Amino acid sequence: MITKSLKGIMVLAAMLVSFLSPAQNRLIVNADQGDIKINKHIYGHFAEHLGRSIYGGIWVGPDSNVPNEDGYRKDVMQALINLEIPNLRWPGGCFADEYHWTDGIGDPSERPKMVNTHWGGVTEDNSFGTHEFMNFVEKIGTEPYITGNVGSGSVEEMSKWIEYINFDGVSPMADLRRKNGQEEPWKIKYWGVGNESWGCGGNMTPEYYANEYRRYATFARNYEGSKLYKIAGGANDWDLNWTDVLMKNIPLHMMDGLSLHYYTVTGTWENKGKATEFDKQEYLETLRKAARVDELLTKHSTIMDKYDPEKRIGIILDEWGTWFQVEPGTNPGFLYQQNTMRDAHVAAISLNIFNKHAERLHMANLAQTVNVLQAVILTNETEMILTPTYHVFDLYKPHKDATLLSHDLKSEEVSFGKEKMEALNVSTSRSEDGTVNISIANINPDKKIDLDVVLRGIDAKSVTAEFITAPAINSHNTFENKEVVKKADFKDFKLNKENLKVSVPANSVVMLRAK
Ligand code: AHR
């Protein structure tokens, strides 16, 4: 029989042991600190005239049998409204530098057709143009971000497009807009000057592009009531010299943002991995490469700090996401790929990292919204599925415009073959009403992880949580089985004053909200 005093000694000994060997996985959240806001535009999107992104994905035309509102697919529209996307970039991508906006206005039956040389050589009938795009962003309640043509366009063409969209007074372009049915100017803010000017946008040197930018930006006018946020075409991932030359050669008052593109490619560009078939080592390779965006943002920011220590100019990561082989039997020029729990982890890790860089990162745009690359929505003729990536964006909504909180994470590792990473990946923020948001990805496919969270600085009374998980790292939704991966309530946690114990399921992304 154990006496009372012996019991007491045993409890004390257990406490001492747990004190001396603190939890293997623990997270301390500095809930009462923080002064940097996570710009909601970090959760932005991108839809290019590429494959079935616009045509068939967003736009089916008013005469289509697919349920539509004024030509826009109703299902996709509603899914994007639900996701509360903050902005949508259009019309490209590489397409932007061969797009002539005047082809996409006026009576649709009279609009000229062109060849989409970048993407599949298909006929572009220009039925989705400026009015269709601007009406769409209005319908889904998001901000437009247009990229103008530098590569094959002219200063005059871009200047007139802005006049057409933003000028309220009497002028040839404003009058033309009115004639085409739009009385009020749309007052667009985000304007990109070319895309990938180092490659598909004209194969320019950074010095040459910097000069071109100065010319184009001069005639990208700020009309009354609509000051543009001008975005210079930025570097391809690790090309730090591009950022350095642009920051040096473009007067800082002439730009507001500098773009950057970063794709996660498993294997090599020539021999990319498959979207749904991969082993665990390949899985970790993808996630490790996605996580390198942390180093990438740090490196470009450090260069920008030299010229702009106040961090006024934002990095605009206007293309990011996974790029796998296209699905068998689909047009290689359409970049259609499936989307699995691995993509969900890529999204979770990337967004966690983006939040961390919120001071310099003003916007990011997932490539791309519907049916292209790491899409949030896939469609066939009449149906739609929401991908695991969609659900991560949905889970992460509370981070938008919240205050970034610092935290200290200790995580165990997971390794497969020659790949190794921390199993947990976290971001923390505080919403305006004081709620603390904790997003956690457990990338270990085989192990539930017990995490001790210390909510330092708040007296939390309650916690709510949601998550996504699935049996396998390649689990994904199909048109036959649309809800293999879906958002659900999460209950596996216990709050005791400032201590929160969470059992983070294997292969899951969790969002906890403490109040
Ligand atoms: O998103 C697909 C393509 O990737 C874009 O058109 C281009 O900017 C990038 O190379």
Side-chain angles (χ1 to χ4, degrees), residues 46 48 50 89 93-95 119 195-196 198 200 261 263 319 323 335 367-368 372-373:
F46 167 40
E48 179 170 11
L50 193 179
R89 177 176 183 245
C94 294
F95 182 76
W119 306 118
N195 170 77
E196 298 196 349
W198 42 265
C200 67
H261 290 176
Y263 284 101
E319 289 185 29
W323 194 318
L335 309 186
Q368 299 192 4
V372 172
L373 300 175

Side-chain angles (χ1 to χ4, degrees), residues 263-294:
Y263 284 101
T264 298
V265 175
T266 309
T268 59
W269 276 105
E270 295 67 39
N271 190 14
K272 293 188 278 294
K274 293 182 177 159
T276 56
E277 287 167 38
F278 48 89
D279 62 20
K280 287 179 179 167
Q281 179 175 307
E282 206 177 320
Y283 162 74
L284 271 198
E285 180 198 336
T286 310
L287 302 193
R288 178 181 52 76
K289 286 181 169 170
R292 286 199 74 198
V293 77
D294 193 3

Side-chain angles (χ1 to χ4, degrees), residues 27-31 405-408 428 436 438 453-457:
L27 171 71
I28 301 171
V29 186
N30 295 312
L405 295 177
S406 66
H407 65 252
D408 184 56
T428 54
V436 171
I438 307 171
V453 182
V454 179
L455 295 164
R456 210 205 50 70

